[in-house]
């Protein structure tokens, strides 16, 4: 395997040892004992570069499922900090309790998770964020909303930095301060940029235009010679010497609430449901968190008000992904069958076809 994408990543039938496997069923990334030790070394070095020190106590509020991102970061943090725990991303009051129980100085979570936690402290719990006495807020896994870094820095009076985690392994390999225009990798050769439509790594300084972030995991025993397209894109102004933080996604997966959702799998699930003539997956972030809604158009009137058909679609999506997707049935009926579409009101996703993205 040389160049590959998330959708084309080989299945895990031949994988051995510990395998990182998302609830969606892929990609299946092997992580043997030696590879895990290398991954923890990289993650620990990145956390230290982001400011985590031996006097800190860290709580990781990230997914604990098959990709093991949360536990891996917590174990890496424990090698740098005084203590570290992984509590998962759900339950803001439980997160507050965990931070107080551990007397944490550091919160590691997603940008929207941090903003939602902050909003709930103010509006629901009536608690002062400063009472937590956090020194560091480390953000990973999502494209942040404008002003996220400024607001978190002001409200918590903490150092806020962005971690870039390799989306295949969940290993943070680079970091940046809000004032930095590019990421700082913990080791040379881990990150690069490629044209959206050509399998070649670009040389710095980069020319103006769109580019996709690629990871080159030379530290991995079986994937060391691979170039992995991340599905994360940047819009270059021209002249950059390093890799900017991702601001967009591209290809057949979209990033929702820090999880990668396969558009082809959504399409495949809906083709098995009779009467669907068109669907549109609409993504938004009107508040602090991402929201996903599947707008479905049927080809006959009798299905529009049929709760069983709506339930069938909801159950198909539930079986496909842990991401919560609201099902909205359109009143308008159309007999013309059209391919499904994605409407990203956040402005993140550039399209499924890399060659047509703009």
């Amino acid at each position: 395997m040389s160049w590959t994408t998330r959708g084309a990543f080989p299945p895990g039938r031949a994988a051995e040892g510990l395998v990182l496997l998302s609830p969606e069923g892929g990609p299946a990334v092997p992580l043997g004992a030696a590879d895990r030790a290398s991954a923890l070394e990289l993650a620990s070095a990145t956390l230290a570069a982001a400011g985590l020190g031996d006097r800190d106590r860290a709580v990781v509020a990230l997914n604990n499922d098959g990709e093991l991102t949360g536990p891996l970061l917590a174990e890496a943090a424990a090698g740098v900090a005084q203590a570290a725990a992984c509590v998962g991303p759900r339950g803001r009051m439980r997160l507050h309790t965990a931070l107080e129980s551990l007397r944490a100085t550091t919160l590691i979570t997603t940008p929207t998770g941090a903003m939602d936690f902050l909003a709930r402290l103010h509006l629901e719990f009536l608690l002062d964020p400063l009472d937590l006495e956090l020194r560091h807020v480390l953000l990973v896994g999502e494209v942040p909303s404008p002003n996220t870094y400024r607001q978190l820095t002001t409200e918590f009076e903490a150092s806020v930095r962005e971690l870039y985690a390799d989306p295949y392994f969940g290993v943070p390999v680079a970091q940046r301060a809000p004032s930095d225009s590019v990421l700082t990798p913990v080791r040379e050769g881990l990150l690069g940029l490629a044209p959206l439509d050509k399998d070649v790594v670009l040389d710095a300084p980069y020319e103006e235009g769109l580019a996709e972030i690629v990871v080159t995991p030379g530290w991995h025993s079986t994937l060391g010679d691979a170039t992995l397209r991340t599905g994360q894109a940047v819009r270059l102004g021209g002249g950059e010497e390093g890799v900017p933080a991702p601001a967009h996604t591209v290809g057949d997966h979209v990033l929702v609430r820090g999880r990668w959702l396969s558009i082809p799998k959504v399409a495949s699930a809906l083709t098995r449901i009779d009467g669907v003539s068109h669907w549109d997956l609409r993504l938004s972030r009107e508040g602090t968190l991402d929201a996903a809604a599947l707008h479905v158009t049927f080809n006959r009137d009798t299905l529009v008000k049929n709760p069983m058909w709506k339930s069938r679609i909801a159950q198909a999506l539930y079986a496909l992904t842990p991401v919560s997707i609201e099902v909205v049935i359109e009143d308008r009926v159309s007999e013309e069958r059209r391919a499904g579409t994605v409407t990203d009101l956040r402005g993140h996703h550039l399209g499924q076809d890399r060659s047509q993205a703009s």
Side-chain angles (χ1 to χ4, degrees), residues 82-148:
Q82 189 178 79
C86 182
V87 298
R90 299 172 186 86
R92 304 306 183 203
M93 180 55 88
R94 294 197 300 272
L95 173 57
H96 181 269
T97 301
L99 290 167
E100 287 201 319
S101 176
L102 197 67
R103 294 189 65 185
T105 65
T106 302
L107 171 62
I108 305 175
T109 188
T110 61
T112 62
M115 291 296 285
D116 189 63
F117 178 54
L118 177 62
R120 289 173 186 267
L121 286 178
H122 283 304
L123 300 177
E124 293 184 27
F125 310 148
L126 303 179
L127 298 171
D128 188 340
L130 294 178
D131 289 343
L132 288 171
E133 298 183 339
L134 292 176
R135 291 201 295 259
H136 307 286
V137 178
L138 305 181
L139 307 177
V140 62
E142 290 178 320
V143 177
S145 299
N147 299 320
T148 292

